[in-house]
């Protein structure tokens, strides 16, 4: 499964708005939730209001739980840090006391040594005094008694009483125990601060929980199966007055069978690709006006490399339906459209990205059937979950190192190379014109001006008329030799041989009157056929 993908976690600037299609489940759900948790305003563009509102409630509850868990973890970490700091402070204090005691002892030892040296000198002086004349004996004796008395007094002063010794030893013993607790405890060391032994711990009232603000999520209805619904969504969003900074085209499906939309198009083609293109065209003015680095992000798939390509004769499964081919084609068209649209709006500063989220273990593969389903079940358990799958989308949306570098294709949270087919400029142009022709009734010149087009420029090309019999007939100079020879033979025959009598034509020729009637019928038939062709073109 690989390492867990990291996602940018910097706060989203205040007031930034994101639209996410298909946001009530799977990758769209986790994309919306993460952006909202980072401070963004997310408009969840979904078909089902009930499912979208349920998803919003679930996101809010999950966010509250995650915030509480984060706060608890931070509090526990803070308490542990405080315990470590207290233990370190206590240890430092004990070391300081030991150092003070050591210095005091050294001073006492130094003082005692000095006193011993002084006594020794006095003893030597006393011996010298004994050798003096007898008449000085009494004075020396008195002096010796006086010196002895002073010496005894000094010893009493320097020698602590038994009570004092006991008190000091008890104090040192308590300090030693405290020192042992600090030195041996590590993270789990218990440090008693203040309070006499046996005192009951103080009871603290639980701190009131800090309020957890709701995520900025809202629902707006969008059914990608309907161009009318796309127009309705665009109006609702514009009426909301919200700016638009990022459009994430995430919604999609895998249709197990050929399904035609309300607009008469193959469902995978319209829902995955064409409706998103129409939505993008209508929202381009808002993206351009948002400032900063606006983005359009298409959620595609690496399966696009197995697509058929741009074959107008089968672009909507006219020759037969394959769910894998239909899905792969729609994802290919998203990437091809990214390149063409980027070239049209490059001066506006809009970045357009396409992302492959990876093989996802989600409900999306329920659309597969037959061998395709077997293949997906084989991959199940080896793919990513939807939360990890959202990481690549979030990287394209949030990572500022890619600002101004579109168009880009992403896979596994970093730029990659799509198929060569997707970069074929000739096929890109064919898809672009075909797509705009299909959307002609749902755009106007104002919208088309954003991409350098007009209604006239996207007018479907009329088929070239078939040549008339006269145009298809070869020129006189181009006649075959056999035809020229037959004409020469006819010229040589006498004029009289062509008629038996005046007023009669050659054998087998029809009367002139009948010939005129048939020519008139042929002309009427041709006019009807031409009228029928014009009606087909209008349809």
């Amino acid at each position: 499964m690989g390492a867990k993908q990291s996602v940018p976690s910097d706060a989203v600037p205040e007031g930034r708005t994101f639209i996410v299609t298909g946001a009530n489940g799977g990758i769209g759900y986790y994309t919306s939730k993460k952006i909202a948790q980072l401070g963004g305003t997310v408009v969840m563009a979904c078909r089902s209001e009930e499912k979208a509102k349920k998803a919003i409630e679930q996101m809010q509850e999950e966010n509250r739980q995650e915030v509480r868990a984060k706060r608890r973890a931070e509090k526990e970490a803070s308490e542990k840090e405080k315990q470590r700091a207290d233990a370190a402070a206590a240890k430092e204090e004990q070391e300081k006391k030991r150092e003070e005691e050591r210095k005091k002892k050294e001073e006492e030892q130094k003082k005692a040594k000095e006193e011993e040296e002084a006594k020794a000198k006095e003893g030597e002086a006393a011996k010298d005094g004994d050798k003096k004349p007898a008449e000085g004996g009494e004075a020396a004796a008195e002096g010796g008694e006086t010196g002895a008395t002073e010496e005894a007094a000094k010893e009493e002063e320097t020698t602590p009483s038994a009570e004092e010794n006991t008190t000091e030893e008890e104090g040192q013993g308590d300090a030693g125990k405290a020192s042992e607790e600090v030195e041996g405890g590590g993270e789990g060391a218990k440090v008693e601060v203040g309070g006499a032994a046996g005192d009951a711990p103080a009871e603290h009232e639980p701190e009131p929980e800090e309020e957890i603000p709701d995520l900025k999520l809202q629902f707006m209805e969008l059914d990608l199966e309907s161009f009318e619904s796309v127009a309705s969504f665009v109006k609702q969003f514009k009426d909301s007055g919200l700016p638009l900074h990022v459009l994430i085209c995430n919604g999609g499906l895998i249709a197990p069978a050929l399904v035609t939309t309300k607009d008469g198009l193959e469902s995978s083609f319209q829902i995955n690709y064409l409706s998103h293109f129409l939505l993008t065209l209508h929202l381009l003015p808002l993206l351009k006006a948002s400032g900063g680095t606006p983005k359009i992000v298409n959620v595609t798939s690496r399966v696009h490399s197995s697509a058929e390509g741009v074959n107008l004769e089968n672009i909507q499964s006219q020759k037969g339906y394959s769910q894998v081919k239909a899905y792969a084609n729609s994802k290919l068209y998203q990437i091809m459209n990214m390149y063409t649209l980027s070239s049209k709006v490059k001066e506006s500063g809009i970045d357009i990205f396409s992302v492959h989220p990876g093989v996802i273990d989600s409900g999306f593969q329920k659309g597969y059937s037959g061998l395709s389903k077997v293949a997906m079940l084989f991959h199940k358990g080896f793919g990513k979950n939807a939360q990890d799958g959202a990481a690549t989308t979030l990287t394209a949306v949030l990572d500022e190192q890619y600002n101004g570098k579109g168009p880009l294709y992403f896979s596994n949270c970093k730029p990659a190379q799509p198929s060569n087919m997707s970069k074929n400029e000739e096929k890109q142009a064919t898809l672009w014109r075909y797509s705009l022709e299909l959307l002609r009734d749902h755009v106007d010149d104002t919208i088309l001006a954003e991409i350098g087009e007009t209604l006239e420029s996207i007018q479907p090309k009329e088929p070239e008329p078939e040549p008339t019999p006269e145009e298809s007939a070869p020129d006189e100079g181009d006649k075959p030799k056999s035809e020229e020879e037959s004409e020469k033979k006819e010229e040589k025959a006498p004029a009289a041989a062509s008629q038996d009598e005046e007023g009669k034509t050659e054998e087998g020729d029809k009367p002139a009157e009948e010939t005129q009637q048939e020519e008139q019928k042929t002309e009427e038939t041709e006019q009807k056929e031409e009228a029928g062709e014009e009606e087909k073109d209008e349809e």
Side-chain angles (χ1 to χ4, degrees):
M1 292 181 63
K4 190 176 181 66
Q5 303 292 345
S6 61
V7 174
S9 57
D10 294 337
V12 171
E14 184 71 23
R16 288 182 70 84
T17 304
F18 304 72
I19 291 176
V20 184
T21 67
N24 58 5
I27 294 172
Y29 177 95
Y30 289 103
T31 299
S32 301
K33 177 182 166 185
K34 184 63 177 180
I35 292 172
Q37 286 179 322
L38 294 175
T41 297
V42 180
V43 175
M44 298 169 61
C46 308
R47 180 173 56 182
S48 170
E49 181 175 4
E50 180 183 355
K51 289 182 179 178
K53 289 188 172 179
K54 186 177 178 180
I56 291 174
E57 290 175 7
Q58 185 176 338
M59 287 184 203
Q60 300 287 14
E61 180 56 31
E62 288 176 354
N63 180 62
R64 284 189 285 269
Q65 291 177 5
E66 290 171 17
V67 171
R68 290 191 190 107
K70 183 179 179 182
R71 288 177 180 175
R72 281 196 301 270
E74 288 174 349
K75 186 177 180 181
E76 289 173 3
S78 177
E79 289 174 353
K80 285 183 178 180
E81 184 60 33
K82 186 176 182 301
Q83 288 176 359
R84 283 194 291 269
D86 290 344
K91 184 178 179 181
E92 185 179 354
E93 183 66 24
Q94 294 303 322
E95 288 176 351
K96 184 179 178 181
K97 285 182 179 180
R98 283 199 297 269
E99 182 64 18
E100 289 174 354
E101 289 172 0
R102 184 184 64 78
K103 287 181 179 180
K104 184 179 179 182
K105 190 174 180 180
E106 285 178 355
E107 289 176 359
E108 289 175 350
Q109 289 174 347
K110 182 179 179 182
K111 186 176 180 182
K113 187 176 179 181
E114 289 174 351
E115 289 174 351
E116 286 177 0
E117 290 175 352
K119 285 180 182 180
K121 288 180 180 179
E122 287 176 357
E124 288 177 0
K127 288 178 181 180
D128 291 340
D130 290 342
K131 295 178 181 180
K132 289 182 178 181
E135 58 266 17
E138 290 179 3
E142 287 176 5
E145 288 175 3
T146 305
T149 304
E150 289 175 356
E151 223 174 274
K154 287 180 181 178
E155 286 179 1
E156 286 179 2
E157 287 176 2
T158 56
T159 305
S161 66
E163 185 179 350
E164 288 174 345
N165 282 336
T166 305
T167 304
E168 186 176 349
E169 287 172 2
E170 288 176 356
Q172 289 178 352
D174 291 341
K177 289 178 183 177
S179 177
E180 287 175 6
E181 284 185 0
V182 171
E183 290 175 356
E187 285 189 5
K190 296 182 179 178
V191 180
E192 295 181 5
V193 180
D199 288 351
E203 292 184 4
H204 299 284
E205 293 183 4
E207 296 179 3
E209 183 182 45
E210 187 180 347
E211 184 180 356
I212 300 173
D214 283 342
L215 301 177
K216 289 177 279 190
L217 297 159
Q218 59 180 289
F219 160 78
M220 289 189 189
E221 184 178 354
L222 172 64
D223 183 359
L224 293 166
E225 195 177 357
S226 165
F227 292 146
E228 183 181 353
S229 178
V230 173
S232 177
F233 171 84
V234 170
K235 183 179 185 305
Q236 184 182 1
F237 183 81
K238 287 182 176 179
D239 290 345
S240 73
L242 289 168
L244 178 60
H245 300 86
V246 181
L247 170 62
I248 304 173
C249 300
N250 171 81
L253 91 163
I254 297 174
L258 179 61
V259 178
T260 303
T261 67
K262 300 170 185 177
D263 298 295
L265 302 173
E266 191 274 313
S267 58
S268 298
F269 176 81
Q270 179 169 349
I271 294 171
N272 298 352
Y273 163 65
L274 197 60
S275 285
H276 277 130
F277 182 30
L278 178 62
L279 178 66
T280 299
L281 291 175
H282 279 278
L283 295 177
L284 277 176
L286 291 178
L287 286 165
K288 290 181 179 180
S290 67
T293 307
K295 295 179 181 179
I296 300 166
V297 179
N298 300 315
V299 179
T300 62
S301 171
R302 70 179 178 190
V303 78
H304 79 273
S305 59
S306 64
E308 181 182 5
V310 183
N311 175 11
L312 297 185
E313 294 181 358
N314 196 40
I315 195 167
Q316 294 189 60
S317 305
Q318 300 98 311
K319 293 183 176 181
Y321 184 76
S322 162
Q323 60 182 350
V324 175
K325 286 294 182 186
Y327 178 72
N329 284 343
S330 67
K331 294 302 170 182
L332 172 67
Y333 303 154
Q334 282 183 299
I335 300 171
M336 297 179 82
N337 182 268
M338 169 188 74
Y339 285 112
T340 310
L341 184 58
S342 291
S343 68
K344 301 287 184 179
V345 299
K346 61 183 178 181
E347 300 300 328
S348 68
I350 298 176
D351 275 329
I352 307 179
F353 300 143
S354 294
V355 302
H356 164 55
V359 179
I360 308 300
D361 287 342
S362 68
F364 191 70
Q365 63 264 30
K366 290 178 181 177
Y368 283 109
S369 62
L371 291 175
S372 303
K373 187 172 185 179
V374 172
M376 287 305 296
L377 290 173
F378 176 79
H379 285 291
K380 190 172 178 61
F382 296 95
K384 303 175 183 177
N385 57 37
Q387 186 171 1
D388 290 339
T392 303
T393 301
L394 291 166
T395 297
V397 171
L398 302 173
D399 199 330
E400 294 184 356
Q401 69 172 307
Y402 301 114
N403 288 359
K405 296 184 179 179
L408 284 177
Y409 172 79
F410 287 79
S411 179
N412 289 321
C413 295
K414 58 183 181 293
Q417 286 298 321
S419 67
N420 290 331
M421 190 189 320
S422 68
K423 294 182 282 187
N424 185 310
E425 294 183 0
E426 184 180 346
K427 295 296 183 181
Q428 289 171 6
T430 301
L431 176 67
W432 176 263
R433 174 153 298 282
Y434 177 75
S435 302
L436 288 176
E437 288 176 2
L438 292 175
L439 297 175
R440 190 175 185 278
D441 294 336
H442 306 282
V443 292
D444 56 31
D445 279 331
T446 303
I447 295 298
L448 291 172
E450 300 289 337
I451 55 172
E453 300 281 2
T454 64
L455 286 172
E456 185 177 355
S457 70
I458 65 171
Q459 177 73 27
K461 292 181 179 179
E462 295 184 3
E464 295 181 1
E466 295 181 4
T468 61
E470 294 176 357
E471 292 173 344
S472 59
D475 295 338
E476 288 293 330
D478 296 337
K479 290 182 181 180
K481 291 183 179 180
S482 57
E483 189 174 340
E484 289 178 358
E485 290 174 356
S486 60
E487 285 182 357
K488 286 179 182 179
K489 289 180 181 178
E490 289 176 2
E491 288 174 2
K492 290 178 181 179
S498 63
Q499 291 180 341
D500 292 334
E501 56 184 348
E502 189 178 351
K504 289 185 179 181
T505 62
E506 295 181 5
E507 189 176 352
D509 285 353
K510 295 179 180 178
E513 211 171 329
E514 189 177 343
T515 302
Q516 288 176 359
Q517 288 176 358
E518 285 187 2
E519 287 176 355
Q520 188 173 354
K521 285 181 182 180
T522 303
E523 190 175 350
E524 288 174 0
T525 303
E526 288 177 355
Q527 288 175 355
K528 287 180 181 179
E529 286 177 355
E530 289 176 3
E533 289 294 331
E534 289 176 2
E535 288 176 3
K536 287 181 183 178
D537 289 341
E538 289 175 4
E539 291 174 4

